């Protein structure tokens, strides 16, 4: 018998997703965080943010509620192979490799998502092989928890080894963590590297020794994918510098209520914050990152220029543009970063010197370092630029959103483009086409 009117077959009341105690606790904690960073935490764009964040966190950490044995138990298959002759094959020992599994996890140091390319190999034993899809599912169980690369590699390895008893398991992870600049360094360092990358590897059984021939075979197959594992971290390696948040200064003392809220979120997800030393500084790191989007001071750099704005109209055919202006922002719907590049096109007279690139970059950063949505960001940049360059302005923003991977969509490399057009660009298709042809074909993803 199914559930009727919210009552299950055992006569117990079933709670809807939004009424679960963990979800309600996360929502309340997020409201406290929003009050600390947002001038109006009840406005339309962020009113439902607590529930959206709770859903994203629940999706991104669902591995805490999953068990490996439930995945592997029904996926073992008999497969006869060579036993009494030299060599190995099939179910009695031939190397099996599954490459290029796209996974996403949450960094235990800062709570931001990071991307993973996972490669798994194992040597079967006892005439048994495991369904190949189960390797991906087991890896995902541990990816959907708060992690760092080396722990993730170790946990996948150990779970597979205990799950179906192969002769050995090997795991190599290619991990990429977004490296968010501060509002000041975003302007001062135009060559800021937006990603921190790390290779982690782990092995059990015949893969326990890094120098064995079977490791050589496995890594040789991975090199076909352009992977260089010579510098990979392995069990016992010191990878404290992996998360960029470790390098941030601690001069700002976070608000105690916000710290308690983040700790409450971690507990609601299934973590024991007091007992896990890796999480003890996580609330402070996350709050500091969140507060970098409050009351950006970049407006001081803009005011002096805009006060001397140039108010003109021009029928000249001279199109000017600034391409690939970097931006970093935070999605107000999920409190997760998005980033990319901005292209600005405008018409000006031949006599007028083009505006300095640094001014346009300041405008982009000013509007980026706030709680934002991409559509609003695009419009605000266009309106600000038009206030001193005239009304003929076109702005294209290309962005990658980590909130896309936090809710189970997980389309690696996907990006979003938005356009704002003012003046002649809004009426003249040829003007728009001319500018769009100038924009280079560049990616905005992990690269």
């Amino acid at each position: 018998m199914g559930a009727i009117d919210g009552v299950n077959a055992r006569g117990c009341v079933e709670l809807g997703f939004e009424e679960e105690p963990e979800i309600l606790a996360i929502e309340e904690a997020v409201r406290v965080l929003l009050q600390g960073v947002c001038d109006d935490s009840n406005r339309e764009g962020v009113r439902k943010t607590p529930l959206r964040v709770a859903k994203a966190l629940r999706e991104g950490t669902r591995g805490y509620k999953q068990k490996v044995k439930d995945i592997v138990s029904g996926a073992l298959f008999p497969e006869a192979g060579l036993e009494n002759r030299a060599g190995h094959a099939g179910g009695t020992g031939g190397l099996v490799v599954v490459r290029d599994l796209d996974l996403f996890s949450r960094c235990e140091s800062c709570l931001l998502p990071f991307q993973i390319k996972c490669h798994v190999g194992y040597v079967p034993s006892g005439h048994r092989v495991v369904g190949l899809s189960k390797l991906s599912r087991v890896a995902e169980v541990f990816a959907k928890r708060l992690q760092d690369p080396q722990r993730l590699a170790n946990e996948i390895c150990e779970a597979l080894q205990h799950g179906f008893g192969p002769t050995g398991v090997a795991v190599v992870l290619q991990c990429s963590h977004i490296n968010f600049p501060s509002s000041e360094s975003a302007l001062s360092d135009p060559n800021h590297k937006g990603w921190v990358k790390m290779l982690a590897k782990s092995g059990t059984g015949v893969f326990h020794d890094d120098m064995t021939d079977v490791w050589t075979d496995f890594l040789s197959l991975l090199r076909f994918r352009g992977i260089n594992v010579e510098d990979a971290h392995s069990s016992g390696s010191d990878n404290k510098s992996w998360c960029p948040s470790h390098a941030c200064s601690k001069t700002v003392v976070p608000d105690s209520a916000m710290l308690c809220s983040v700790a409450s979120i971690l507990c609601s997800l299934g973590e024991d914050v007091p007992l896990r030393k890796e999480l003890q500084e996580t609330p402070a790191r996350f709050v500091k990152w969140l507060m970098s989007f409050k009351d950006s001071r970049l407006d001081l750099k803009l005011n002096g220029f805009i006060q001397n704005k140039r108010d003109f109209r021009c029928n000249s055919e001279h199109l000017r543009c600034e391409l690939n202006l970097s931006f970093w922002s935070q999605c107000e719907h999920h409190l997760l970063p998005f980033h990319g590049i901005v292209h600005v096109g405008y018409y000006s007279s031949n006599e007028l010197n083009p505006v300095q690139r640094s001014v346009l970059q300041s405008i982009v950063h000013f509007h980026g370092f706030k709680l934002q949505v991409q559509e609003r960001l695009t419009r605000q940049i266009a309106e600000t630029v038009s206030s001193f360059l005239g009304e003929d302005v076109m702005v294209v923003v290309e962005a990658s959103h980590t909130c896309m991977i936090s809710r189970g969509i997980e389309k690696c490399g996907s990006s979003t483009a938005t356009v704002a057009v003012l003046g002649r660009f809004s009426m003249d298709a040829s003007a728009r086409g001319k500018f769009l042809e100038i924009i280079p074909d560049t990616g905005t993803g992990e690269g």
Side-chain angles (χ1 to χ4, degrees):
M1 181 182 296
I4 300 176
D5 294 332
V7 180
N8 63 23
R10 293 187 296 266
C12 299
V13 176
E14 293 184 335
L15 295 176
F17 176 85
E18 298 180 12
E19 298 174 321
E20 293 178 5
E22 294 86 354
I23 295 298
L24 294 174
I26 295 174
E27 284 189 76
E28 184 57 36
V30 174
R31 290 190 185 95
V32 174
L33 296 176
L34 284 173
Q35 290 170 2
V37 74
C38 186
D39 293 334
D40 181 8
S41 60
N42 197 41
R43 63 180 172 83
E44 182 63 31
V46 297
R47 190 177 303 156
K48 294 184 178 180
T49 292
L51 178 59
R52 287 189 288 254
V53 172
K55 288 181 176 179
L57 283 169
R58 179 70 169 272
E59 168 64 27
T61 58
R62 66 176 185 267
Y64 287 112
K65 298 183 180 296
Q66 296 176 309
K67 297 180 180 179
V68 170
K69 67 178 182 180
D70 296 336
I71 297 173
V72 175
S73 58
L76 295 176
F77 305 98
E79 188 64 35
L82 298 173
E83 275 198 353
N84 299 321
R85 296 186 305 179
H88 301 285
T92 61
L95 178 62
V96 179
V97 179
V98 176
R99 300 177 289 202
D100 300 328
L101 300 173
D102 286 321
L103 303 173
F104 303 89
S105 190
R106 289 257 188 168
C107 175
E108 66 182 11
S109 292
C110 66
L111 301 186
L112 298 186
F114 65 94
Q115 301 177 16
I116 306 154
K117 187 76 73 172
C118 175
H119 315 276
V120 180
Y122 79 96
V123 177
S125 66
H127 293 281
R128 294 190 307 173
V129 296
V130 67
L132 296 180
S133 66
K134 305 307 179 184
L135 300 179
S136 175
R137 290 187 61 192
V138 169
E140 188 174 50
V141 166
F142 294 100
K144 295 303 183 185
R145 301 179 183 183
L146 301 182
Q147 285 288 7
D148 71 27
Q150 191 55 57
R151 178 185 295 106
L152 178 57
N154 293 343
E155 290 182 343
I156 294 172
C157 241
E158 292 167 5
L160 290 173
Q161 183 67 46
H162 295 149
F164 63 100
T167 304
V169 179
V171 173
V172 170
L173 305 179
Q174 297 171 276
C175 302
S176 300
H177 191 308
I178 192 169
N179 183 15
F180 225 85
S182 66
S183 58
E184 293 78 15
S185 64
L187 283 173
S188 61
D189 183 11
N191 298 317
H192 173 79
K193 294 187 180 300
W195 294 90
V196 173
K197 299 185 179 183
M198 176 179 166
L199 276 171
K201 64 186 177 77
S202 186
T204 61
V206 294
F207 290 98
H208 183 71
D209 184 352
D210 290 353
M211 304 306 293
T212 58
D213 290 342
V214 69
W215 257 116
T216 301
D217 294 343
F218 178 53
L219 299 180
S220 295
L221 289 168
L222 297 191
R223 289 192 181 98
F224 294 160
R225 293 291 193 270
I227 301 170
N228 183 359
V229 296
E230 292 179 359
D231 298 325
H233 290 252
S234 56
S235 298
S237 297
D238 180 8
N239 62 330
K240 291 182 179 179
S241 61
W242 149 253
C243 177
S245 69
H246 284 278
C248 297
S249 64
K250 299 181 180 180
T251 55
V252 178
V253 179
D255 178 83
S256 59
M258 297 178 74
L259 290 177
C260 290
S261 294
V262 179
S264 170
I265 290 173
L266 296 177
C267 292
S268 296
L269 295 177
E271 284 285 2
D272 192 332
V273 180
L275 293 181
R276 193 137 93 75
K277 63 178 183 177
E278 295 88 353
L279 296 176
Q280 290 175 5
E281 296 296 326
T282 298
R285 295 189 187 106
F286 182 77
V287 170
K288 182 174 181 179
W289 173 78
L290 193 64
M291 293 301 291
S292 66
F293 298 91
K294 179 178 175 62
D295 297 332
S296 171
R297 307 307 299 165
L298 290 173
D299 55 338
L300 299 178
K301 296 180 178 293
L302 298 180
N303 287 341
F305 188 90
I306 295 178
Q307 285 175 358
N308 299 319
K309 65 181 180 180
R310 312 167 189 184
D311 187 12
F312 66 91
R313 294 191 179 188
C314 178
N315 294 321
S316 169
E317 292 299 319
H318 193 72
L319 173 64
R320 298 185 187 274
C321 60
E322 286 291 350
L323 306 176
N324 297 329
L325 299 162
S326 63
F327 85 90
W328 306 83
S329 194
Q330 184 186 38
C331 171
E332 69 178 29
H333 294 159
H334 300 93
L335 299 187
L336 287 169
F338 67 102
H339 63 98
I341 50 179
V342 177
H343 313 290
V344 179
Y346 61 98
Y347 279 91
S348 69
S349 64
N350 292 326
E351 300 82 29
L352 184 67
N353 292 326
V355 64
Q356 292 183 358
R357 180 182 177 89
S358 61
V359 174
L360 295 179
Q361 185 68 81
S362 295
I363 293 172
V364 169
H365 283 315
F366 169 64
H367 291 298
F369 275 89
K370 298 177 180 179
L371 296 184
Q372 273 288 13
V373 295
Q374 185 174 337
E375 297 86 347
R376 184 194 308 138
L377 172 67
T378 309
R379 173 181 56 80
Q380 289 176 338
I381 293 172
E383 290 175 347
T384 303
V385 171
S386 70
S387 68
F388 63 91
L389 284 181
E391 64 180 17
D392 301 328
V393 172
M394 182 171 178
V395 172
V396 175
V397 176
E398 300 179 272
S400 294
H401 293 251
T402 56
C403 61
M404 292 283 284
I405 66 174
S406 70
R407 295 174 292 140
I409 300 173
E410 301 190 355
K411 297 297 183 182
C412 186
S414 65
S415 63
T416 303
T418 48
V419 180
V421 290
L422 299 174
R424 67 184 295 179
F425 284 105
S426 64
M427 300 174 288
D428 187 346
S430 63
R432 297 193 298 273
K434 185 177 180 180
F435 176 56
L436 292 173
E437 288 179 358
I438 298 173
I439 296 176
D441 182 13
T442 55
T444 59
E446 180 270 317

